[in-house]
Amino acid sequence: MEAPLPRAFYARPTEAVARELLGKVLVRRKGLSRLRARIVEVEAYLGERDAASHARRGPTPRAAIMFGPPGFLYVYLVYGMHHCMNFVTEADGVAGAVLVRAAEPLDDADMDAGALRGPGKLCLGLDVTLRDRGTDVTLSTATLFVADDGAARPAVRRSPRIGVDYAGIWAARRLRFFVPHNPSVSGGVGRYGT
DNA sequence: GCCACGATAGTG
DNA sequence: ACTATCGTGGCG
């Protein structure tokens, strides 16, 4: 079976982690079964200086986990209805996280290419909720983790992040990474789809 | 304590 | 373009 990526993978600059998460396999254990999906779209959220990051106001109760050790799951609720999942990056004490925005379902007949397209639907499809906050995704016992299945490194394209227009200069930074022409990548409101 | 406001997605 | 819906954090 595929082993979870080690903490060292996450303990690096957030942009590098984001880029390299593309093509990796998201593994979700659900009781006896497991759901696998290839990551095709992510966004990097840097530390306190990043005006689009939840870390911008310092280690508040919600964002404190972003300042903690890498390799943990940061889940939050947006618009009162959608969950978003992130992996904490950088060294302990340095804020950073990668938002997973879309994944391509692997060997699951019940899911079409769009089932995990967009951060909200991704969490819905994988049943990730606030209860999953703080999961250590480097443990072999984790119910959610990322693995490398040896697939070739995909092509990577980048664009500004989605839905952070309020962030001034940071809204323009190209911190979204995605696999071009992949049907599971979110349209990004049409502008930066492929 | 309050209250305005989203790292969204589906519909019109 | 509109809005459902609730946890978070700024403010007093």
Side-chain angles (χ1 to χ4, degrees):
Chain A
M1 275 297 154
E2 294 151 335
L5 292 177
R7 201 168 314 283
F9 176 85
Y10 301 96
R12 296 182 296 144
T14 307
E15 283 195 55
V17 177
R19 178 184 284 269
E20 290 178 35
L21 274 171
L22 292 181
K24 297 289 192 297
V25 177
L26 208 46
V27 184
R28 175 55 150 166
R29 288 204 183 99
K30 286 276 294 176
L32 300 175
S33 63
R34 70 172 50 189
L35 199 48
R36 299 165 71 254
R38 195 172 304 283
I39 299 171
V40 296
E41 182 185 354
V42 297
E43 284 176 359
Y45 284 87
L46 311 187
E48 305 189 64
R49 66 209 166 111
D50 181 356
S53 171
H54 289 166
R56 68 186 180 279
R57 303 182 195 284
T60 60
R62 178 178 65 168
I65 190 171
M66 285 184 67
F67 291 78
F72 286 80
L73 201 62
Y74 169 39
V75 181
Y76 64 89
L77 186 63
V78 270
Y79 303 106
M81 59 192 77
H82 301 290
H83 293 276
C84 292
M85 59 170 281
N86 306 245
F87 296 111
V88 176
T89 59
E90 306 277 356
D92 188 4
V94 180
V98 175
L99 169 69
V100 186
R101 287 192 55 91
E104 179 179 8
L106 297 173
D107 29 76
D108 188 313
D110 295 335
M111 285 187 172
D112 64 6
L116 306 177
R117 182 193 294 139
K121 285 165 73 177
L122 175 73
C123 286
L124 187 63
L126 296 181
D127 189 32
V128 173
T129 69
L130 292 181
R131 299 193 321 279
D132 297 296
R133 267 185 305 192
T135 297
D136 185 344
V137 298
T138 68
L139 301 178
S140 56
T141 55
T143 54
L144 179 68
F145 62 90
V146 182
D148 187 343
D149 71 344
R153 274 229 237 185
V156 175
R157 194 169 345 254
R158 54 194 300 176
S159 80
R161 293 169 293 185
I162 307 295
V164 296
D165 295 340
Y166 60 83
I169 189 73
W170 287 90
R173 292 277 306 263
R174 294 164 59 226
L175 294 171
R176 170 174 176 255
F177 300 87
F178 60 99
V179 178
H181 309 302
N182 185 290
S184 295
V185 170
S186 75
V189 196
R191 290 174 301 207
Y192 309 112
T194 58

